[in-house]
Amino acid sequence: MRLSTKGRYAVMAMADLARREHEASRAVALADIAARQEISLSYLEQLFARLRRKGLVKSARGPGGGYRLARTADTTTIAEIVHAVDEPLRATRCTSGNGCMIKGERCLTHDLWADLGDRIEDYLASVSLADVVGGRLRQNRQAA
């Protein structure tokens, strides 16, 4: 399974926003996130429009405008962010309602890839923005 730039960049930008929330007394400008994360500003604008529609960020216009998290970083999961930008979290090559094969049948390894997709979904749903920003993922992996 491969996560496209849409999902990866949305998570990177949201993590940047979460990190800046406590420092800034004002909203964070997308241009600043774009510069720090080396992501195209126009691409970020498209992603943040989707994130805003899904209620993950809120925007402020005018001088000092930009974006803020709509909820706290500890209540926002990585899976929510990825889904908000319409990134599928599946590892099968099946299309909706159809199987993997040309004749609509499932391939021999369908259940393997479907289970992997479910595990990825569960993992990303268990990780919050606060976990990412706080560096708790590496610590958890090293402790295991």
Side-chain angles (χ1 to χ4, degrees):
M1 186 186 123
R2 202 177 123 90
L3 188 62
S4 77
T5 55
K6 232 190 309 190
R8 272 189 291 125
Y9 286 0
V11 171
M12 289 167 60
M14 288 288 285
D16 186 286
L17 185 60
R19 175 175 277 167
R20 305 283 181 242
E21 277 266 301
H22 302 296
E23 300 171 6
S25 58
R26 60 184 200 144
V28 179
L30 279 187
D32 294 341
I33 295 172
R36 283 190 295 268
Q37 299 303 319
E38 299 178 357
I39 301 171
S40 158
L41 177 58
S42 62
Y43 197 52
L44 269 187
E45 288 169 344
Q46 294 171 31
L47 294 177
F48 270 71
R50 292 177 181 196
L51 293 166
R52 188 176 48 78
R53 278 194 300 272
K54 295 294 184 173
L56 295 177
V57 296
K58 50 189 175 185
S59 62
R61 294 181 180 257
Y67 285 87
R68 291 188 173 281
L69 296 177
R71 300 190 323 244
T72 61
D74 61 328
T75 61
T76 303
T77 69
I78 302 306
E80 289 176 300
I81 297 167
V82 173
H83 287 300
V85 294
D86 298 327
E87 183 67 26
L89 289 175
R90 60 181 171 78
T92 63
R93 66 179 185 178
C94 298
T95 57
S96 60
N98 298 325
C100 314
M101 309 299 280
I102 292 174
K103 295 180 181 177
E105 300 169 355
R106 286 182 167 190
C107 68
L108 288 173
T109 58
H110 175 87
D111 292 337
L112 169 71
W113 303 125
D115 187 49
L116 175 62
D118 291 344
R119 290 176 189 249
I120 291 169
E121 173 80 34
D122 291 345
Y123 173 69
L124 293 179
S126 76
V127 177
S128 72
L129 266 179
D131 293 331
V132 173
V133 173
R136 293 190 285 265
L137 300 176
R138 182 164 296 287
Q139 292 170 356
N140 289 345
R141 197 171 49 215
Q142 289 173 346

